[in-house]
Amino acid sequence: GHGFVPVLDALQGRGFTIIYDVIDDWTDTSLGGDWYDESVERSISARADAVTASAEDLVDRMQRWGSAATLVPNAVNAQIFDGRSHPRPVDLPDGPLLGYHGSLHGDWFDWDALAAVARANPDATVVVIGDHRGVEYQLPANVVFLGLKAQSDLPAYLVNLDVGLVPFSVTPVTHAVSPLKVFEYLASGVPVASTPLRPVVGLDGVFTDDDLVAAVSFARSGPRPDPSVALANHAWGSRVTEMLEAAGVAVNEVQDAGPTIQIRPTIRPPTEERWIRA
C-alpha cells in the first residue's frame, strides 16, 4: 500500500486529477486487503482532489478523517448485463432457480442462511456460481455449485433466475458493501432477496428481511423488475459522471465506443487456501 503515495504525488505534480473511490472497508482482510494500512489510506484520501465512496458508512468514515466524500454507489456494466433474454445454459437445472454469484470465501457469507433458503424452497434449486474450492459445508441436496463463469457468460445465467440472492451476514463490513451483483440481478430483470444491508434497503426490486427465507418468499411472490428501468438508474455511465463532477470535471458528452471483452484464464494468486467448515 505504501507504494501508492509517491505515485500519486508524481501524478499530481504533472497535473493529473486524483479521485479516490472507496469501495470497501479494507480492514477486513477476507476482502483481499492483506496489504491494508490505515495510515496509507488516510494519506491517499488527504492527497486526492476528490473522494467518492460506494456506501454511506464509507462516506461517514472518510468524513471522520476530514475528507469530504460523495456517495457514488456501485453499478452495472450495461454493455454486458443488458436485460436481453438468453437461452438457458445447459448446466442450469430445470425448475425454479434461486441463484448467487460471487465470492464464497469470507466470514460475511452466511452459509446457514443459504441452507435455510434451500430447505424452505424444496421446489427450487439454489445455484451457486463462484470458486467453491475449499468449501466444506453440509448443504441440502438442492444446492448446486456451478463453479466459476466468465463475466461475459453470466447474463445467460442471471436472466434465467427466479430470485437473485445476497446471503450476507449483517456486520459493519457488509453494511459498507455496495454489491455489484444486486445491480446485475436487477438489470437482468431478476428480483433480489437480501439481508437488510444499508446500501440495498429501499432499492426497487430488492426485498430485504433479517430472515433471508422471508426475503426470498417476498421476492418469489413479487413482480420482476423492469431491466430498462434498472439500467437507467444503475448503469456505470451516470456513476462515472457523478465521480467526475465530484472532482469538478464537467462532463458535457459521453461517447460510448462499446466494451472490449477479453476472456482470460482464471488466475489464482498464490495465497493460503481459505477453508470453510460447518
Side-chain angles (χ1 to χ4, degrees):
H2 290 274
F4 286 116
V5 174
V7 173
L8 292 182
D9 289 341
L11 290 172
Q12 281 188 316
R14 288 164 174 78
F16 282 81
T17 298
I18 305 298
I19 301 174
Y20 175 41
D21 185 32
V22 191
I23 62 170
D24 271 318
D25 177 357
W26 296 113
T27 60
D28 186 332
T29 57
S30 69
L31 294 172
D34 315 31
W35 47 266
Y36 180 74
D37 184 320
E38 182 179 305
S39 66
V40 174
E41 187 176 28
R42 284 178 177 264
S43 296
I44 292 172
S45 63
R47 283 168 166 77
D49 298 289
V51 177
T52 60
S54 59
E56 287 284 4
D57 287 38
L58 298 173
V59 170
D60 293 343
R61 180 180 180 181
M62 292 297 108
Q63 290 177 339
R64 288 196 301 272
W65 291 356
S67 297
T70 301
L71 176 65
V72 181
N74 280 327
V76 60
N77 186 331
Q79 299 297 324
I80 298 177
F81 301 92
D82 56 10
R84 291 184 294 114
S85 62
H86 292 267
R88 195 181 185 99
V90 295
D91 58 343
L92 271 181
D94 295 330
L97 299 174
L98 316 176
Y100 171 86
H101 68 292
S103 176
L104 302 172
H105 300 281
D107 295 338
W108 38 265
F109 194 99
D110 192 339
W111 289 99
D112 289 333
L114 189 77
V117 166
R119 287 192 295 269
N121 295 272
D123 65 312
T125 302
V126 177
V127 294
V128 180
I129 297 173
D131 180 8
H132 59 280
R133 295 181 315 151
V135 173
E136 294 183 353
Y137 206 89
Q138 297 301 312
L139 294 167
N142 60 331
V143 177
V144 175
F145 290 91
L146 299 183
L148 289 167
K149 303 293 179 184
Q151 186 186 45
S152 55
D153 291 339
L154 283 177
Y157 289 87
L158 299 195
V159 298
N160 285 291
L161 297 179
D162 293 273
V163 177
L165 303 174
V166 184
F168 292 172
S169 301
V170 178
T171 69
V173 170
T174 55
H175 273 315
V177 169
S178 177
L180 287 166
K181 59 183 59 60
V182 168
F183 307 114
E184 293 166 354
Y185 292 141
L186 296 176
S188 302
V190 177
V192 180
S194 175
T195 47
L197 311 177
R198 280 190 282 271
V200 304
V201 170
L203 291 179
D204 288 342
V206 179
F207 299 84
T208 61
D209 196 280
D210 290 321
D211 180 2
L212 189 62
V213 170
V216 169
S217 178
F218 296 144
R220 292 192 71 178
S221 60
R224 292 181 74 90
D226 184 334
S228 63
V229 173
L231 287 167
N233 292 334
H234 304 300
W236 273 116
S238 60
R239 298 286 204 267
V240 172
T241 298
E242 292 171 19
M243 294 176 72
L244 295 175
E245 289 177 347
V249 178
V251 179
N252 299 319
E253 181 178 353
V254 176
Q255 295 181 341
D256 184 5
T260 298
I261 302 173
Q262 296 181 340
I263 307 299
R264 293 176 293 183
T266 302
I267 299 174
R268 296 186 175 96
T271 54
E272 180 181 351
E273 290 280 2
R274 295 190 176 109
W275 295 90
I276 300 174
R277 296 185 173 88

